[in-house]
Amino acid sequence: MSQEQKELYSLLIPLKGERLLVPRMCVAEVIAFADAARDRRDDHPDWFLGTIEWNGQRVPVVSFDDPQL
């Protein structure tokens, strides 16, 4: 009898005080760090870092780090 394999291929992302586990199928591409362009309005939440250009599209950049840490 064969046992069913229960594996999760994932990406482990270190944060300031925790780690974030992201299923690999949710990751399209890993790119080099780039400063995100913020809108001139400053009414965005702290977790919204701005947007970057990726494959001809503007993609939002968010932070999973707790700003209180």
Side-chain angles (χ1 to χ4, degrees):
M1 296 176 124
S2 66
Q3 290 183 331
E4 180 181 334
Q5 290 186 354
K6 295 183 179 182
E7 295 179 352
L8 175 64
Y9 294 100
S10 57
L11 179 64
L12 184 62
I13 301 172
L15 303 174
K16 286 181 184 174
E18 302 289 334
R19 284 172 285 209
L20 178 65
L21 186 65
V22 180
R24 197 170 72 181
M25 66 184 339
C26 296
V27 178
E29 184 176 342
V30 176
I31 62 172
F33 179 80
D35 286 330
R38 296 250 354 209
D39 195 340
R40 293 200 184 274
R41 300 176 317 210
D42 200 29
D43 58 347
H44 297 292
D46 291 339
W47 51 262
F48 179 72
L49 302 179
T51 59
I52 60 169
E53 182 80 21
W54 179 74
N55 286 346
Q57 298 181 34
R58 299 301 301 170
V59 178
V61 178
V62 298
S63 173
F64 289 101
D65 276 329
D66 184 352
Q68 303 301 320
L69 295 177

